[in-house]
Amino acid sequence: MIPCMPRAASLVGAALLAACGLATASSHREAPFITTTPKVDGTDFYMFRSYEAGRSDFVTLIANYLPLQDPYGGPNYFQMDPNALYEIHVDNDGDAKEDLTFQFRFKNTLAGNGAGVNLMVGGKSVNIPLIQKGGVSNPKDGNLQVNESYSVSVVRGDRRVGSAQAVTNSTTGSSTFDKPVDNIGSKTLPDYAGYAAKHVYTVNVPGCASPARLFVGQRQDPFAVNLGTIFDLVNAPLSVITDPALIGAAPNTIGDKNVTTLALEVHRSCLKSGEQGDDVIGGWTTASLRQARLLDGSPASGLQTAEKPGGAWVQVSRLGMPLVNEVVIGLKDKDRFNASKPGGDGQFADYVTNPTLPALLEIALALPNSAPTNFPRTDLVTTFLTGIKGVNQPRAVTPSEMLRLNTAIAPVPFEKQNRLGIVGNILAGGSDNAGYPNGRRPKDDVVDISLVAVMGGLCVANGDTDALALGAACKPSAVPLGATTFKLHDAVDQAKVPLLAGFPYLNTPIPGAQ
């Protein structure tokens, strides 16, 4: 462990510590209740113009769930919850209400029409304890004892009372899709990449003229963060976290974990409200459970028989912009935020206009006057609640927390993407406006970008000119660190995370055994 910084550190040191407190896992175990239900815990949400060759007119939506999966998590591994409702929402008119919702439901079944896979042992047919009995290479492989499938519906209007239609396989017309088994290991799955590729579907989305692409399955966690060090009150020397040459000095502490990905690539015209509709869309992902459940003390033989859910859907997870519930929302309101809708975000406004984390660490370290004082923090309101004018702010906008993407901004090839997105443009005079906070790509280093933003870095770049429309209270004199804020990082380089060149973009999951 890197030694703690002494209390006699400078004011600059205190502010750096305050800023680096933002560098948490994007949404891994972020609220008290969700820690009890990891299968519905949303970890990251991505929304970007597709940069795969020949797919630039499409938008990719990626929602990751079930955090911190150890690759060796047998014998059951990480199936999704068949009693849950997973959703990706799109607001295409800026009113903080969903206009399109993609709903995912899962089903787990035993092979042999529910009988499972048995072996003859001593003259008796006995069910095996594993989910596989041999090598696996195809969907619904005969060696799999458990088959996981799912369906997707698109709902137009309100997610609960709007018009719902099934997404279907463009080849077979089926509305049921197979999810690949997790990457158990190389003996069971000698070519996992090839096996998973057989689960990428071309699909028809009702109301969309162009076919979409769909994939649901385990992936390597694409997020990078110096997790243990950060939560230990930023247990890192300033000489590291302020040196741009040491951006990759620390290992990615979740680099050996997997997640479960829901990925959908849809033509951008399908996500707009019409041909003349706004090019800016907002997106977020949620998960819901039934209001009640009855546990059976003597469950019947089979899968998912110990629980009987009932009642209305209750939202228990919400994720749009990264890092919000982790380090912006107060502890007492984290469960409330996960249950809320963007239209009700006024109740959380103080957490954005008057963020507590820098002040909290100033008190803890007894080193005052090191954080921005431009209250209310209208620069953060613009960045996180309305979008930046001329970049990703809708024509008419209701302030609310969600990821916003200007679908008219062309994608940038992976090798030319600036890992700091728009902030990188400010620093280097670049032209990559296709990255965070204009949407979010897997390569975007949202930790470092958020560090710069929360410590007033965009204010410093903006000065008195209001060039980024960050608000009248955004003045350099209110940002004590000045240009120093641009040097902040968590010593883990997001750009080093292995990714794929095309859909579903996230890397093949780490196997349980080589």
Side-chain angles (χ1 to χ4, degrees):
M1 183 68 70
I2 302 172
C4 284
M5 194 180 78
R7 289 179 59 86
S10 67
L11 296 180
V12 171
L16 291 175
L17 287 173
C20 286
L22 273 181
T24 64
S26 188
S27 192
H28 300 57
R29 297 172 55 80
E30 80 284 354
F33 175 76
I34 206 66
T35 62
T36 69
T37 56
K39 289 191 175 187
V40 289
D41 186 356
T43 68
D44 285 282
F45 178 59
Y46 302 87
M47 184 169 66
F48 55 93
R49 280 277 296 270
S50 299
Y51 49 85
E52 178 183 348
R55 304 292 293 184
S56 62
D57 280 335
F58 289 79
V59 170
T60 296
L61 307 160
I62 296 176
N64 289 339
Y65 283 88
L66 219 171
L68 305 177
Q69 297 178 18
D70 289 315
Y72 45 82
N76 290 291
Y77 295 93
F78 301 97
Q79 299 159 9
M80 298 294 272
D81 188 349
N83 295 324
L85 177 64
Y86 302 85
E87 297 175 294
I88 297 174
H89 310 279
V90 175
D91 169 19
N92 58 25
D93 57 12
D95 65 354
K97 299 178 182 178
E98 68 274 9
D99 298 292
L100 290 172
T101 296
F102 297 96
Q103 297 182 333
F104 295 74
R105 295 295 308 274
F106 290 86
K107 184 177 182 181
N108 304 328
T109 57
L110 284 169
N113 294 319
V117 174
N118 293 2
L119 293 178
M120 293 300 298
V121 180
K124 291 187 176 182
S125 180
V126 183
N127 188 238
I128 67 172
L130 308 180
I131 64 173
Q132 88 282 21
K133 70 171 184 178
V136 174
S137 58
N138 293 301
K140 291 189 177 72
D141 198 286
N143 281 328
L144 281 175
Q145 174 164 220
V146 178
N147 289 290
E148 193 171 5
S149 61
Y150 64 97
S151 61
V152 184
S153 296
V154 58
V155 181
R156 298 184 183 276
D158 184 275
R159 59 180 173 169
R160 296 293 175 260
V161 299
S163 173
Q165 295 176 283
V167 173
T168 56
N169 189 314
S170 296
T171 302
T172 67
S174 174
S175 59
T176 300
F177 306 92
D178 292 307
K179 174 183 173 293
V181 71
D182 293 344
N183 197 354
I184 297 170
S186 58
K187 186 173 183 179
T188 299
L189 293 142
D191 179 17
Y192 192 87
Y195 164 72
K198 296 177 182 178
H199 296 79
V200 175
Y201 298 97
T202 300
V203 298
N204 293 324
V205 177
C208 299
S210 299
R213 288 196 291 185
L214 172 68
F215 172 80
V216 173
Q218 191 182 51
R219 297 282 92 185
Q220 181 179 355
D221 195 326
F223 194 65
V225 65
N226 197 353
L227 192 58
T229 294
I230 295 305
F231 278 124
D232 188 23
L233 299 177
V234 194
N235 191 356
L238 295 179
S239 59
V240 172
I241 60 176
T242 59
D243 186 347
L246 297 177
I247 288 172
N252 176 16
T253 52
I254 60 173
D256 60 348
K257 305 297 183 183
N258 294 324
V259 292
T260 299
T261 290
L262 316 182
L264 189 63
E265 186 188 55
V266 183
H267 197 278
R268 60 192 179 109
S269 64
C270 185
L271 300 175
K272 295 175 58 175
S273 59
E275 186 174 344
Q276 302 302 317
D278 201 331
D279 289 317
V280 176
I281 61 173
W284 68 100
T285 183
T286 64
S288 300
L289 296 171
R290 291 296 187 183
Q291 193 170 37
R293 66 177 180 174
L294 178 67
L295 301 182
D296 190 339
S298 299
S301 177
L303 298 178
Q304 284 82 47
T305 61
E307 176 182 342
K308 299 295 183 184
W313 289 114
V314 176
Q315 181 181 301
V316 296
S317 178
R318 170 187 169 188
L319 178 60
M321 299 281 279
L323 307 170
V324 171
N325 206 4
E326 292 73 18
V327 296
V328 176
I329 304 300
L331 178 62
K332 69 174 185 177
D333 287 327
K334 289 183 182 296
D335 287 336
R336 179 186 295 272
F337 180 82
N338 266 351
S340 68
K341 296 180 180 180
D345 282 348
Q347 63 185 310
F348 306 115
D350 287 349
Y351 289 125
V352 179
T353 60
N354 298 72
T356 60
L357 190 61
L360 175 65
L361 289 180
E362 284 182 354
I363 294 171
L365 297 171
L367 294 171
N369 304 320
S370 58
T373 58
N374 52 311
F375 302 116
R377 291 291 302 274
T378 53
D379 56 319
L380 297 184
V381 170
T382 297
T383 303
F384 293 103
L385 300 184
T386 66
I388 300 171
K389 188 175 181 180
V391 179
N392 67 334
Q393 187 177 108
R395 297 171 187 167
V397 60
T398 299
S400 51
E401 192 283 304
M402 63 180 70
L403 201 59
R404 290 181 172 87
L405 173 70
N406 188 337
T407 63
I409 295 178
V412 174
F414 179 80
E415 62 277 5
K416 294 183 179 180
Q417 291 175 12
N418 191 317
R419 71 176 188 86
L420 294 179
I422 294 174
V423 170
N425 290 345
I426 295 173
L427 293 174
S431 58
D432 182 3
N433 286 322
Y436 184 77
N438 178 32
R440 180 186 177 189
R441 303 168 300 197
K443 187 178 180 178
D444 292 338
D445 200 328
V446 297
V447 171
D448 290 359
I449 297 170
S450 296
L451 294 181
V452 171
V454 78
M455 293 307 290
L458 296 181
C459 283
V460 174
N462 184 40
D464 290 336
T465 65
D466 207 30
L468 289 178
L470 292 176
C474 191
K475 305 295 182 182
S477 60
V479 185
L481 290 182
T484 305
T485 59
F486 288 122
K487 299 180 180 180
L488 298 174
H489 61 82
D490 71 335
V492 173
D493 189 356
Q494 175 70 48
K496 291 185 177 180
V497 175
L499 297 166
L500 302 180
F503 187 81
Y505 293 98
L506 308 189
N507 196 39
T508 301
I510 299 168
Q514 300 290 340

